[in-house]
Amino acid sequence: FSEYKYWYIQNKFNQTYSDKKLMVAGVTGVIRESDQLLALKRTNMVHQDKNMYELGPAGGLSILNNGCKDQLINEFEEELDVSSKNINSIKQLGILIDKKEFILDIVFEINVRPNFDKKICFNHEYGDFKWISLFEKKCINDLSPSSKEIFNYLQNKELK
């Protein structure tokens, strides 16, 4: 595994200096209220999945943090500009391995306080958001590939 910065350089230079791909480890949060999931629209200033919606917040694991949950909380505060005091609970959902992008994501469900979304302030990563229902298959059309995988997993789990 490697940190995100090495993955970024590897993809930017198309592996000119190496035929081996580094796999980066990251975290993804799925903010959920009942059957609604928060989808965040990525801006055109990001390196991956520009102008697509994703389940987030998400980010690469850093060796500077004490663990996956700490990294997720950092991403929540940094990317949404919302205090972590708005998080009621965090539980691990699973691991997503993206063999195309060489990313291993540890996926968590985030339960938030009511109306937390009224406090969201965007930055260069996200520019908008919408709530999507687990019971509407058409709403995944504009989700990033990894978010589609997570959505499908959650939808299948709900329907069982």
Side-chain angles (χ1 to χ4, degrees), residues 131-147:
W131 289 97
I132 58 175
S133 171
L134 273 174
F135 302 111
E136 288 183 44
K137 191 73 170 174
K138 66 179 181 180
C139 69
I140 71 165
N141 293 338
D142 52 358
L143 285 179
S144 69
S146 59
S147 290

Side-chain angles (χ1 to χ4, degrees), residues 74-136:
N74 286 351
E75 299 293 340
F76 182 91
E77 291 185 330
E78 174 189 312
E79 294 178 356
L80 304 178
D81 198 21
V82 176
S83 167
S84 62
K85 292 178 181 176
N86 288 282
I87 297 173
N88 289 331
S89 65
I90 299 173
K91 73 175 185 178
Q92 186 174 340
L93 288 176
I95 295 174
L96 174 71
I97 300 172
D98 184 336
K99 293 180 181 175
K100 182 179 178 233
E101 296 290 337
F102 289 87
I103 298 172
L104 182 143
D105 255 333
I106 303 163
V107 182
F108 294 89
E109 182 174 281
I110 303 173
N111 179 283
V112 291
R113 291 185 176 175
N115 299 316
F116 106 99
D117 57 343
K118 307 265 187 284
K119 301 172 185 171
I120 294 175
C121 295
F122 296 110
N123 59 23
H124 72 281
E125 271 192 73
Y126 297 121
D128 198 9
F129 72 89
K130 64 182 178 180
W131 289 97
I132 58 175
S133 171
L134 273 174
F135 302 111
E136 288 183 44

Side-chain angles (χ1 to χ4, degrees), residues 8-110:
Y8 170 74
I9 294 296
Q10 168 180 273
N11 286 316
K12 183 160 179 73
F13 293 105
N14 294 322
Q15 296 180 279
T16 305
Y17 302 106
S18 171
D19 61 0
K20 294 188 177 186
K21 281 239 180 194
L22 299 171
M23 182 168 272
V24 68
V27 292
T28 294
V30 178
I31 297 174
R32 183 171 179 177
E33 287 187 8
S34 184
D35 71 328
Q36 301 288 309
L37 307 178
L38 186 70
L40 299 156
K41 187 171 185 183
R42 295 177 59 79
T43 68
N44 63 358
M45 294 182 276
V46 295
H47 304 293
Q48 187 180 11
D49 300 326
K50 292 180 182 197
N51 298 313
M52 296 185 83
Y53 282 89
E54 76 174 2
L55 302 175
L61 281 176
S62 170
I63 58 174
L64 301 176
N65 283 317
N66 293 326
C68 299
K69 282 188 181 178
D70 286 343
Q71 182 67 41
L72 185 64
I73 290 167
N74 286 351
E75 299 293 340
F76 182 91
E77 291 185 330
E78 174 189 312
E79 294 178 356
L80 304 178
D81 198 21
V82 176
S83 167
S84 62
K85 292 178 181 176
N86 288 282
I87 297 173
N88 289 331
S89 65
I90 299 173
K91 73 175 185 178
Q92 186 174 340
L93 288 176
I95 295 174
L96 174 71
I97 300 172
D98 184 336
K99 293 180 181 175
K100 182 179 178 233
E101 296 290 337
F102 289 87
I103 298 172
L104 182 143
D105 255 333
I106 303 163
V107 182
F108 294 89
E109 182 174 281
I110 303 173

